[in-house]
């Protein structure tokens, strides 16, 4: 028999049909439904039902006041706060957006100190001398010591208060006035918050100013009470108007006089903590009508399973397997509960439940912040904050926010091609900011058209009229709702509708209070307020398996209980809400701290276990970032300790593991096939597409054949991104283009110091032209890192000009030439194309020498001692490129004396770095390189593609995630 059924049975025996005149009060609204069900089950006849109500609704009903939501309360508090602060300092100003977060915290503190009947004037007294505490604070000695400790820390005699402490004291001095003014303001308009109503009810009961309309008020299943609840119950008990029923178990509570002579102390299997509160109340009220419903969990066998499983998914899957292997009969659904200590487990659990488990009742509510619509709305807020107006008066958006909107799963699912097309164009043009005109030219849906037609506020100023922003957000939601309804997506429609309702309520509040907010303040208000919005799941509360949060189990009993997320931090919940009241003051004035919270969780945990027959505690054993496992709940350890060797209470511990996806990292191997050979032939053969093997392609193959396959055969490319700051390849392109623009007018002329020096004055114009040619949207307005990098490029170009001017006079024969040196090499009877892009080819008349110059942005290694080193050591790719260029030049101009040199950005102080220390490449070396090149290409055309053994190279490889390398 459940606890609630036992209560109704006792009341039936005592009051019979007279129960209809009673008022039955329980801790939660959910318990009201189950108590009504127990009433019907026990009486099984037609009677007038008693008043059954939750404690919160009971207090609100008797108060007769209105109870606003938290946001209007914060606005009211802000107005009182500003009035009090300006009374002390007329020019004082603090914006609402700065006040909002701590104002919400202050409302909760005021609510709590009223529920705990704290003397607010004493609490907010600004203590200047510790002796004042002895004189004015009417609280127990041990509590006074806590208060002294706080003020001693804040007002140390030898150390001046810090700036933060001084600010705290300034606010503390006016908090009682703010508290009193806030309450008076609400009372004048017949409004209240819960704590205010609790305090008023207790004061009126104790003063004899209120008489309840019931002969008896029955309090059922409470545990930790606020001071207001405690005094309310005590008053009704002392005046014989009340009865209190406590639900306890002998495992943690030994009823007074329940020990037999000579018997050892019974109970306390679970320690003292669970029964801490009830013991104090019951012993204090034992001579009044305080009644215990005593259970003994050890009297009958229990099956207790303790299971560790990694991550949320494994916990949910394990639960699904349990319910598949041992299904719950439909007639027992109501007696089965899935309790989620961690609410993030809700959706993994729903997906993991067996298909035949169709009757569910989800009581937790669903946080709207977990939906894609919430994500989209946050992106809209960022879009609004990124708005700019360019020199032409056009509205422009930051590309990041535009792409975030287009990549939102909801938008992308409905506009996949359009989303991809717009992003490709943004990347190709490197648009840091996307203009409204640019978006208007696209064939946008009504939703996207509205999204990219926002109001034009100035983000730097406060906004007097917030209606356009609300209209904009509601317009987005209206179009989303229309689309969802057309697709008959009911759940999605429900989400959107709740968001729409929330914005309507926000509009009403903002119209009532008319605050001045900046755009950032409006965004913050929307974000922080929306995080708390929940959507309730519909269902019949008394039918089906119950899926609940931990504290929703209060007063309820189940035969089967599955508790998931049984880890420290969730069970018990160790998070502490923000408060303006420090720990010592909370403790000193009897306000709850984390210690009371732990005891509350302990009681509800063992209360849930005590009548259950089968209990599964499933926890996350995932390895944390620090290398250790997630800590299992203290209650698991308690059960293992206290239930050890008990005949009826035996706990079995197990671990569930999931196979590692890469127990041994497999090597990736792509076999050469006829299709791949045909693809390579089509790509590089003289009769094929006209493309050629470059130095980059061949050094890529030498470094890692698999990387060559991904890039040149599978055609897997890195996704193009907008460059907000200059990347290395762009840096190199701009450097190359700038030098080309400087030297191009001087092709064929003898380059002497007198001819080179004037080019320094033309450098800025050449740089500007290079930025434009590379289609860099920020080329005309460089900021931050890009501005600095432009300076670096300019400095490098000046150094190149200086080095050229101080060297031998030369004639520039070609610049950025990749057409003149294309050649075909015979590979097993077939001609394959090879080429290279020569940055510069010089002729030095005094030495009758051709010099091939290449510009590099990184360091180079030219330490090859022989030609074969270039093929054996992938890091010598600059040397490979040098020999390749010499070989290509020789194919077009045989017998010409040639040297190869490099200007490298990181080593410019050394001038030109030459292959073979500046010696001309001789015929034997060219022949050796030609032989090695033939062997390399022949292997490339017939061998399998394997991974490199040098994993250091994988760290900078764009394909390392495909290979699971380089991490």
């Amino acid at each position: 028999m459940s606890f609630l059924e036992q209560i109704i049975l006792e009341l039936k025996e005592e009051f019979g049909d007279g129960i209809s005149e009673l008022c039955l009060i329980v801790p939660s609204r959910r318990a009201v439904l189950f108590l009504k069900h127990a009433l019907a089950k026990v009486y099984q006849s037609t009677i007038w039902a008693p008043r059954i109500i939750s404690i919160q609704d009971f207090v609100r009903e008797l108060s007769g006041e209105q109870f606003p939501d938290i946001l209007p309360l914060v606005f009211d508090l802000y107005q009182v706060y500003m009035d009090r602060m300006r009374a002390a300092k007329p020019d004082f100003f603090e914006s609402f957006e700065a006040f909002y977060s701590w104002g919400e915290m202050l409302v909760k503190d005021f609510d709590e100190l009223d529920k705990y009947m704290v003397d607010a004037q004493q609490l907010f007294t600004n203590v200047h001398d510790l002796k004042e505490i002895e004189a004015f604070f009417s609280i127990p000695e041990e509590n006074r010591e806590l208060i002294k400790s706080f003020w001693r820390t804040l007002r140390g005699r030898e150390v001046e208060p810090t700036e933060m402490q001084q600010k705290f004291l300034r606010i503390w001095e006016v908090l009682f006035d703010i508290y009193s003014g806030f309450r008076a303001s609400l009372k004048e308009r017949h409004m209240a918050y819960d704590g205010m109503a609790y305090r008023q009810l207790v004061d009126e009961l104790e003063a004899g100013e209120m008489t309840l309309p019931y002969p008896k008020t029955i309090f059922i299943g409470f545990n930790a009470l606020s001071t207001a609840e405690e005094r309310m119950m005590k008053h009704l008990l002392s005046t014989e108007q009340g009865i209190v029923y406590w639900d306890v178990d002998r495992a943690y509570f030994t009823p007074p006089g329940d020990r037999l002579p000579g018997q050892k102390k019974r109970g306390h299997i679970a320690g003292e903590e669970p029964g801490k509160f009830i013991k104090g109340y019951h012993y204090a009220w034992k001579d009044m009508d305080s009644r215990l419903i005593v259970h003994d969990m050890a009297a009958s066998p229990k099956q207790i399973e303790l299971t560790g499983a990694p991550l949320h998914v494994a916990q949910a899957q394990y639960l699904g397997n349990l319910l598949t292997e041992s299904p719950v009969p439909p007639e027992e659904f109501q007696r089965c509960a899935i309790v989620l200590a961690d609410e993030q487990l809700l959706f993994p659990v729903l997906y993991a439940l067996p298909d035949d488990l169709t009757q569910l009742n989800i009581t937790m509510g669903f946080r709207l912040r977990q939906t894609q619509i919430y994500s989209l709305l946050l992106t809209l807020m960022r879009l609004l904050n990124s708005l700019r107006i360019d020199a032409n008066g056009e509205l422009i958006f930051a590309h990041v926010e535009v792409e975030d909107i287009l990549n939102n799963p909801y938008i992308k699912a409905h506009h996949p091609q359009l989303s991809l097309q717009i992003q490709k164009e943004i990347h190709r043009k490197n648009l840091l900011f996307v203009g409204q005109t640019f978006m208007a030219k696209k064939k946008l849906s009504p939703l996207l058209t509205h999204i990219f037609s926002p109001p034009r506020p100035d983000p730097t100023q406060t906004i007097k009229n917030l209606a356009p922003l609300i209209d904009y957000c509601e317009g987005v939601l209206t179009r989303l709702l229309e689309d969802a309804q057309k697709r008959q997506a009911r759940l999605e429609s429900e989400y959107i509708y709740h968001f729409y309702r929330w914005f309507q309520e926000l509009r009403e509040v903002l119209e009532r209070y008319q605050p001045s907010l900046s755009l950032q303040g409006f965004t913050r208000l929307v974000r922080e307020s929306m995080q708390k919005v929940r959507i309730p799941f519909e269902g019949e509360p008394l039918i089906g398996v119950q899926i609940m949060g931990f504290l929703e189990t209060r007063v309820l009993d189940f035969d089967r209980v599955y508790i998931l997320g049984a880890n420290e931090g969730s069970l018990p919940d160790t998070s502490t809400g923000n408060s303006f009241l420090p720990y010592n003051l909370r403790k000193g004035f009897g306000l709850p701290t984390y210690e009371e919270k732990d005891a509350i969780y302990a009681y509800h945990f063992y209360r849930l276990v005590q009548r259950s027959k089968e209990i599964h505690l499933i926890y996350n054993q995932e390895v944390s970032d620090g290398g250790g496992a997630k800590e299992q709940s203290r209650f698991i350890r308690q059960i293992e300790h206290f239930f050890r060797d008990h005949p009826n209470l035996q706990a079995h511990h197990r671990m569930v593991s999931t196979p590692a996806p890469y127990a041994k990292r497999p090597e990736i191997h792509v076999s050469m096939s006829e299709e791949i050979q045909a693809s390579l032939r089509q790509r590089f053969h003289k009769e094929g597409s006209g493309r050629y093997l470059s130095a980059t392609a061949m050094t890529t193959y030498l470094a890692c054949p698999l990387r060559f396959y991904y890039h040149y055969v599978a055609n897997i490319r890195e996704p193009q991104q907008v460059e907000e700051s200059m990347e290395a390849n762009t840096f190199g392109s701009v450097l190359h283009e700038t030098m080309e623009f400087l030297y191009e007018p001087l092709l064929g002329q003898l380059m002497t110091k007198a001819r080179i020096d004037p080019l320094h004055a033309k450098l800025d114009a050449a740089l500007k032209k290079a930025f434009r040619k590379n289609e860099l949207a920020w080329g005309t307005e460089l900021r931050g890192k890009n501005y600095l990098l432009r300076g670096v490029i300019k400095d490098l170009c000046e150094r190149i000009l200086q080095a050229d001017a101080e060297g031998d006079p030369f004639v520039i024969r070609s610049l950025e030439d990749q057409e003149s040196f294309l050649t075909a090499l015979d590979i097993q009877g077939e001609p394959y194309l090879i080429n290279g892009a020569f940055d510069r080819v010089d002729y030095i008349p005094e030495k009758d020498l051709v010099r091939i110059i290449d510009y590099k942005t990184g360091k180079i290694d030219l330490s090859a001692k022989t030609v074969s080193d270039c093929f054996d050591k992938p890091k010598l790719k600059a040397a490979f490129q040098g020999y390749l260029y010499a070989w290509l030049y020789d194919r077009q101009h045989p017998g010409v004396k040639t040297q190869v040199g490099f200007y490298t950005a990181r080593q410019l102080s050394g001038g030109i770095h030459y292959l073979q220390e500046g010696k001309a490449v001789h015929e034997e070396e060219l022949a050796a390189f030609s032989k090695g090149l033939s062997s390399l290409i022949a292997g490339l055309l017939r061998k399998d593609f394997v991974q490199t053994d040098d994993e250091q190279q994988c760290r900078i490889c764009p394909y390392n995630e495909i290979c699971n390398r380089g991490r």
Side-chain angles (χ1 to χ4, degrees), residues 225-241:
L225 305 175
S226 68
T227 306
E229 290 169 336
E230 182 180 350
R231 285 169 59 173
M232 181 196 314
M233 291 183 188
K234 182 179 179 181
H235 172 79
L236 293 175
L237 287 172
S238 64
T239 57
E240 299 183 351
Q241 299 177 72

Side-chain angles (χ1 to χ4, degrees), residues 25 169 307 352 652 678 773 903 905 909:
I25 301 177
L169 288 169
T307 307
H652 305 282
K773 182 173 180 180
Y903 274 120
S909 58

Side-chain angles (χ1 to χ4, degrees), residues 28-85:
S28 67
R29 290 172 181 169
R30 179 153 190 78
V32 169
L33 297 170
F34 280 81
L35 185 56
K36 289 179 178 179
H37 179 69
L39 179 73
K41 185 175 180 180
V42 170
Y43 270 82
Q44 293 188 344
S45 61
T46 303
I47 61 167
W48 288 106
R51 185 81 171 100
I52 302 177
I53 192 170
S54 70
I55 184 73
Q56 182 188 48
D57 290 338
F58 174 76
V59 173
R60 286 187 171 190
E61 187 178 275
L62 289 175
S63 77
E65 308 286 16
Q66 298 179 32
F67 291 82
D69 291 332
I70 185 68
L71 186 56
L73 286 172
V74 176
F75 272 112
D76 280 325
L77 181 61
Y78 174 67
Q79 292 179 341
V80 174
Y81 168 73
M82 290 298 294
D83 290 343
R84 296 300 185 273
M85 296 301 286

